[in-house]
Every structure is written in C-alpha cells, then in structure tokens.
C-alpha cells in the first residue's frame, strides 16, 4: 500500500488556477466527496471505483483543487 505525501502532511500541494491565476486550495481526496461513507472506506478499494482507471495501478492519489476566487476546480494526481 502506497502513501500519499499530501494526505499525510509530508508535502504541501500548491497550484495556480488556470482560469484566473490565483492560488488554488487542496480540498483533499476526490473520493471523499462521493457519499457520506466514502471517506471511511479503504483507499485502495475506492481507487478501484473512483472513475479514474489508472490511479490504483500508477499509485496516484486524486486530489480536488478548488479556486476560492473564481470557483474553478480540477483534479490533480499526486504520486504516492
């Protein structure tokens, strides 16, 4: 089982909004937003069902980034 350096606080995720050039905020793993219980499910199991077919094989953690200025959001894959 791989470990996400952003989820575990080893690294900070910084990104610039492609729409307005402001700093984006990391909202955490995308699969935590699927339903009320997804945040409590095993991470590797959720990767098999999250809609990103390669994230489990490539050991990547999909994070939701959101711009507080314009509302633009995107998913960034973090290497575990």
């Amino acid at each position: 089982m791989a470990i996400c350096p952003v989820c575990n606080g080893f690294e900070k995720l910084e990104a610039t909004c492609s729409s307005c050039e402001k700093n984006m905020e990391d909202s955490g793993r995308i699969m935590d937003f699927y339903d009320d219980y997804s945040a409590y499910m095993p991470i590797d199991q959720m990767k098999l069902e999250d809609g990103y077919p390669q994230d489990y094989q490539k050991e990547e953690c999909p994070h939701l980034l959101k711009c507080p200025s314009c509302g633009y959001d995107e998913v960034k894959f973090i290497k575990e």
Side-chain angles (χ1 to χ4, degrees):
M1 179 171 155
I3 297 173
C4 175
V6 176
C7 287
N8 288 283
F10 303 133
E11 294 178 10
K12 185 175 180 179
L13 181 56
E14 296 181 7
T16 303
C17 178
S18 60
S19 179
C20 72
E21 304 289 321
K22 304 281 183 173
N23 288 333
M24 298 184 81
E25 295 178 348
D26 178 22
S27 298
R29 296 180 304 145
I30 188 77
M31 58 271 257
D32 289 349
F33 295 94
Y34 291 160
D35 63 33
D36 293 340
Y37 298 103
S38 60
Y40 304 104
M41 300 294 291
I43 295 170
D44 287 342
Q45 179 182 349
M46 290 303 298
K47 284 184 180 183
L48 296 173
E49 303 172 10
D50 66 1
Y52 302 103
Q54 303 267 325
D55 63 344
Y56 178 75
Q57 296 166 340
K58 291 184 176 182
E59 294 184 335
E60 295 175 328
C61 186
H63 279 248
L64 177 63
L65 299 176
K66 185 164 178 96
C67 179
S69 297
C70 70
Y72 175 77
D73 61 23
E74 67 181 42
V75 176
K76 181 168 180 137
F77 293 90
I78 309 302
K79 183 67 179 158
E80 297 178 327

